[in-house]
Amino acid sequence: MQADAHEALITRARAWLAEDPDPETREELAKLIDAGAHEELADRFSGTLQFGTAGLRGELGAGPMRMNRSVVIRAAAGLAAYLRAQGKAGGLVVIGYDARYKSADFARDTAAVMTGAGLRAAVLPRPLPTPVLAFAIRHLGAVAGVEVTASHNPPRDNGYKVYLGDGTQIVPPADADIAAEIDAVGALADVPRPSEGWETLGEEVLEAYLSRTDAVLAPGSPRTARTVYTPMHGVGKETLLAAFARAGFPEPVVVAEQAEPDPDFPTVAFPNPEEPGAMDLSFAAARDSEPDLVIANDPDADRCAVAVHDSSAGDWRMLRGDEVGALLAAHLVKRGVTGTFAESIVSSSLLGRIASAAGLAYEETLTGFKWIARVDGLRYGYEEALGYCVDPEGVRDKDGITAALLVTELASELKEQGRTLLDLLDDLAIEHGVHATDQLSVRVEDLSIIAAAMRRLREQPPTELAGLPVTLAEDLTRGTASLPPTDGLRYTLDGARVIVRPSGTEPKLKCYLEAVVPVAPSDGLPAARAKAAELLAALKRDLAAAAGI
């Protein structure tokens, strides 16, 4: 039986090899077949890379469980079939890509498949930030958009993100409908892929995006804050520097070692500003140049990290995404904006308090900008994972370029007053209470560890965490009055909140913790922050024990 299974695996691998259009992955797969690498082949042919609300994302390589040209061609053919079934035949599909390995190839394959299916395809002129693609969809009146990127994943990964014509990422049931069309694709030889017929866009689309970035700033606002900037080996530098120059900010000091696109990301273990050590070079540059802010984009520049000098610690520290989210909200409130403020359920509840105090509408959504961007009347949305949407009419997604502009404007205004972002965070804490957030994040090689932890919490839900009784335990797979179903658990406590969910893009179990402590006039802000930190530490310890992680 084992011999039969091995032979069947080899047969499947040879069939895949026969239609693989990429010489590199053909050579890779042929070597595995010749070597009889059963375990490796079994892993690559154990199923197919699943298309979902994050599109596709996975490790590069040959086989149906990897990202490669064969998988991308099938995904593009499925998307084209879906668009035609939706009455969009002949419509425009805009395609963007980052600087990762194979991104340009995947973009060209997508353009060829769309053209062969009777749609019009237009490819961005070169590797550009994901927000430029999200902008271009609405700007050009496209019926869909594709961004080839794995965002802040490790160098070995790539991905395929799909937007529909309103400029937002796909959500159910569109993801399942597209997946069904992908499954229905037959032989690759039957997918028409002409060698020409699509358009390569010129600089005008980037110019239109840059013109739009001006709109996020208040006319006549101070533009004096000095910055150190890193694109983290990604594609953000050129666009951000152009946006800063147009706005009249001082030219950022760019971290030289990370300035140019490099798909190997040689200076970081993970090209994500949130990961330990990822900001070390930026902080070193800041110690030399003494700017007002450090700003980092992730490799596709849809996220924005912000760091400030903390005089109490005598060094630079990165602000949490929740801190930046609150600062930008307070800045927009002071400017008198109207509309709805929105965030995902894993983000700090402070945004709701800021919106309520300003008399603005507020909504919580499921995790991801695919949900935040769909909020009616959205004026500002953010997510704790460094994602901010500050111009939803221009880009209905997170945008690390416009967020960087807005936070630098805020820093400039505070600088004129002799104050800093940390001073404004103190003001918000005194007014609304300390909202301290943290995350317990477990990266795994074996996904069954995540499933086991979720099962354990469902079968034996905690009744107490950090000495606080759990007043409400929700299994979000059942949905709530305001949220559709999702794989997650939410625990509400008196003065705290915990959410546990598997990551949608990485092999991680993520636990989001928040402690809310009022600032008592008798004790002051330091005491409230110390109490919140103790509570977070106890929450993390007790939750890890409850989940068995």
Side-chain angles (χ1 to χ4, degrees):
M1 179 64 80
Q2 194 170 16
D4 289 344
H6 181 70
E7 188 58 39
L9 178 61
I10 294 296
T11 299
R12 286 187 62 204
R14 291 192 186 282
W16 184 274
L17 178 65
E19 65 173 12
D20 187 340
D22 188 332
E24 290 183 23
T25 46
R26 277 205 311 272
E27 181 181 359
E28 175 188 318
L29 185 55
K31 286 181 178 177
L32 291 173
I33 294 171
D34 291 344
H38 182 85
E39 189 172 326
E40 179 66 21
L41 288 170
D43 181 52
R44 291 169 182 246
F45 287 85
S46 60
T48 57
L49 208 56
Q50 291 302 298
F51 185 93
T53 52
L56 293 168
R57 195 174 291 189
E59 185 177 347
L60 288 163
M65 287 295 290
R66 299 288 188 268
M67 282 294 296
N68 51 63
R69 290 183 60 197
S70 296
V71 166
V72 165
I73 290 167
R74 290 180 181 281
L79 174 59
Y82 168 82
L83 292 172
R84 291 174 57 147
Q86 296 292 312
K88 307 296 185 184
L92 175 66
V93 178
V94 188
I95 303 150
Y97 59 103
D98 66 11
R100 285 177 178 264
Y101 288 116
K102 296 293 181 182
S103 287
D105 294 337
F106 295 167
R108 280 192 296 270
D109 281 331
T110 301
V113 170
M114 295 300 161
T115 302
L119 291 131
R120 293 183 296 127
V123 183
L124 293 183
R126 61 185 175 282
L128 287 168
T130 292
V132 177
L133 181 277
F135 165 82
I137 295 166
R138 288 163 57 78
H139 177 66
L140 298 173
V143 299
V146 171
E147 177 70 17
V148 180
T149 181
S151 188
H152 56 279
N153 275 40
R156 64 179 181 271
D157 290 358
N158 212 329
Y160 197 82
K161 185 184 292 189
V162 175
Y163 298 76
L164 295 182
D166 61 355
T168 62
Q169 298 175 50
I170 54 169
V171 296
D175 58 341
D177 292 343
I178 295 170
E181 295 286 4
I182 294 171
D183 290 343
V185 174
L188 286 192
D190 296 334
V191 178
R193 286 183 291 131
S195 59
E196 57 185 18
W198 59 89
E199 177 185 1
T200 299
L201 295 168
E203 295 302 305
E204 65 279 356
V205 68
L206 178 60
E207 179 61 29
Y209 169 81
L210 288 169
S211 296
R212 181 80 201 185
T213 63
D214 298 344
V216 307
L217 303 176
S221 63
R223 312 281 168 93
T224 55
R226 296 178 302 107
T227 56
V228 160
Y229 169 69
T230 176
M232 209 152 283
H233 299 296
V235 298
K237 183 186 80 168
E238 178 186 312
T239 305
L240 183 132
L241 293 183
F244 269 56
R246 291 175 68 104
F249 288 113
E251 183 177 356
V253 174
V254 179
V255 177
E257 300 92 331
Q258 299 174 335
E260 299 306 320
D262 187 333
D264 289 317
F265 305 105
T267 68
V268 290
F270 292 95
N272 178 354
E274 294 179 295
E275 293 284 347
M279 297 290 287
D280 287 355
L281 288 171
S282 301
F283 293 165
R287 293 181 197 110
D288 289 339
S289 59
E290 299 184 348
D292 301 295
L293 288 178
V294 172
I295 290 173
N297 287 138
D298 66 339
D300 69 326
D302 63 352
R303 298 171 194 246
C304 176
V306 179
V308 295
H309 189 266
D310 187 341
S311 57
S312 65
D315 204 357
W316 289 82
R317 80 165 177 94
M318 205 170 99
L319 298 178
R320 301 189 69 85
D322 284 317
E323 292 177 308
V324 177
L327 288 168
L328 293 178
H331 183 45
L332 291 170
V333 164
K334 186 179 178 184
R335 279 182 26 186
V337 303
T338 59
T340 300
F341 280 21
E343 64 180 340
S344 64
I345 58 172
V346 300
S347 304
S348 171
S349 59
L350 178 55
L351 183 67
R353 299 204 180 187
I354 293 171
S356 177
L360 295 173
Y362 164 77
E363 281 195 33
E364 277 189 320
T365 75
L366 293 184
T367 307
F369 267 84
K370 55 184 174 283
W371 299 108
I372 295 171
R374 284 181 158 72
V375 168
D376 286 341
L378 180 67
R379 177 56 186 85
Y380 169 67
Y382 98 91
E383 188 157 71
E384 55 76 41
L386 312 183
Y388 315 94
C389 175
V390 302
D391 178 25
E393 289 305 306
V395 176
R396 291 194 180 178
D397 198 4
K398 55 187 178 290
D399 183 345
I401 305 296
T402 50
L405 288 170
L406 196 64
V407 77
T408 307
E409 178 186 59
L410 172 58
S412 298
E413 289 190 357
L414 292 168
K415 183 178 181 180
E416 298 292 299
Q417 303 162 19
R419 306 178 77 230
T420 69
L421 296 181
L422 294 179
D423 294 322
L424 180 52
L425 284 174
D426 287 349
D427 294 347
L428 293 172
I430 291 168
E431 181 178 358
H432 303 291
V434 172
H435 287 64
T437 58
D438 201 358
Q439 191 178 127
L440 173 62
S441 182
V442 182
R443 184 183 292 272
V444 301
E445 293 290 333
D446 181 359
L447 291 176
S448 69
I449 295 172
I450 294 176
M454 295 296 289
R455 184 171 59 253
R456 177 170 172 161
L457 288 170
R458 286 191 169 102
E459 292 174 353
Q460 300 175 313
T463 58
E464 182 181 281
L465 292 168
L468 301 174
V470 176
T471 57
L472 179 63
E474 299 170 281
D475 186 342
L476 298 178
T477 55
R478 303 185 181 101
T480 71
S482 58
L483 298 171
T486 188
D487 186 8
L489 301 164
R490 178 164 61 179
Y491 305 113
T492 303
L493 307 96
D494 184 16
R497 181 220 64 198
V498 172
I499 293 174
V500 184
R501 61 179 283 271
S503 170
T505 57
E506 299 177 89
K508 282 183 177 182
L509 180 68
K510 291 189 168 185
C511 309
Y512 304 85
L513 318 173
E514 180 175 37
V516 182
V517 178
V519 179
S522 57
D523 297 330
L525 188 52
R529 285 205 167 115
K531 182 178 178 182
E534 291 173 7
L535 187 54
L536 283 178
L539 283 171
K540 187 179 288 190
R541 179 195 65 228
D542 291 357
L543 183 64
I549 53 177

